[in-house]
Amino acid sequence: GSVMNIADLKVEDIDFVRMADGLSKIARFNGAYSRVIGIYSVAQHSVMGARALYREKTNQVLAAYFLLHDGHEYIIGDQPRPTMKLIGHHAEHMQEGAGAMFAFAVENMKASIDVVIHRAAGFPPLAEFPNYARDVAEMDDRMLRAEGLALFGPKAAAHLPAKNLKPPELKEPVDKAWPPDVAKEKFL
């Protein structure tokens, strides 16, 4: 719906309505789950995690950072962790060290987009707040574990992070997908 130079994003390129719309249509885990009808979207993940983080920490800014933590995906899409690891594995077979370079490039790309998103939201880059960055990353792992168990069942447990962290305080079940229009509205 728009033209932008994603290698040189500007604050004015960021459109939170388009972000909400795009994230509400992107399925977590590439939609590979069978325990939910509909799309468990990146927008739903972001809203549910932000709400849980707010309940636990009562910090609106921290919750907002979580809400936006996957915002870059409305621009570049969502590639699940196993896919990224597989690409890195194949890159490593092509040239020693290429897997690590690939992982670094992907993280750098996401971070550069996130900086622009945060500025568009009126926030400093998350990297300036290491405690917030840690809390956001931890909640992302906790959400991933809760989502993986709910959407794939107990056999997924061995492949999920955060075994020793407490589950997020969710008020709604993960396996009840929100329709895209609802996910968009809640994200906004």
Side-chain angles (χ1 to χ4, degrees), residues 1-24:
S2 65
V3 176
M4 63 179 81
N5 180 352
I6 63 173
D8 187 28
L9 281 176
K10 308 286 187 238
V11 167
E12 55 271 13
D13 293 326
I14 304 304
D15 183 327
F16 291 103
V17 174
R18 285 195 176 139
M19 179 186 294
D21 186 56
L23 296 179
S24 73

Side-chain angles (χ1 to χ4, degrees), residues 146-178:
E147 293 160 346
L149 292 172
L151 300 175
F152 297 101
K155 288 183 179 180
H159 305 284
L160 298 168
K163 293 175 191 172
N164 300 325
L165 296 174
K166 69 177 187 164
E169 294 180 23
L170 303 175
K171 297 293 183 189
E172 299 175 76
V174 168
D175 61 355
K176 302 291 184 213
W178 301 340

Side-chain angles (χ1 to χ4, degrees), residues 9 12 14 28 52 55 62 92 100 117 130 143 146 148 175 185:
L9 281 176
E12 55 271 13
I14 304 304
R28 292 272 291 160
R55 271 191 289 284
L62 178 58
E92 192 64 31
I117 289 171
M143 286 295 296
D175 61 355
E185 179 183 328

Side-chain angles (χ1 to χ4, degrees), residues 16-63:
F16 291 103
V17 174
R18 285 195 176 139
M19 179 186 294
D21 186 56
L23 296 179
S24 73
K25 297 173 190 169
I26 297 174
R28 292 272 291 160
F29 309 103
N30 279 339
Y33 38 78
S34 60
R35 293 178 168 234
V36 64
I37 296 172
I39 296 173
Y40 179 74
S41 69
V42 173
Q44 183 173 350
H45 157 80
S46 298
V47 170
M48 290 179 75
R51 288 176 174 174
L53 198 50
Y54 181 75
R55 271 191 289 284
E56 294 175 16
K57 304 278 188 174
T58 62
N59 183 322
Q60 290 178 340
V61 173
L62 178 58

Side-chain angles (χ1 to χ4, degrees), residues 93-122:
H93 282 295
M94 295 166 62
Q95 180 177 342
E96 187 176 335
M101 289 185 335
F102 170 76
F104 177 78
V106 169
E107 289 308 310
N108 193 43
M109 173 185 63
K110 290 177 182 180
S112 68
I113 295 170
D114 289 343
V115 165
V116 179
I117 289 171
H118 294 151
R119 287 189 179 132

Side-chain angles (χ1 to χ4, degrees), residues 130-147:
N131 291 341
Y132 281 10
R134 184 197 68 239
D135 288 345
V136 167
E138 181 181 291
M139 179 56 76
D140 200 29
D141 280 347
R142 291 168 61 202
M143 286 295 296
L144 176 60
R145 185 165 185 80
E147 293 160 346

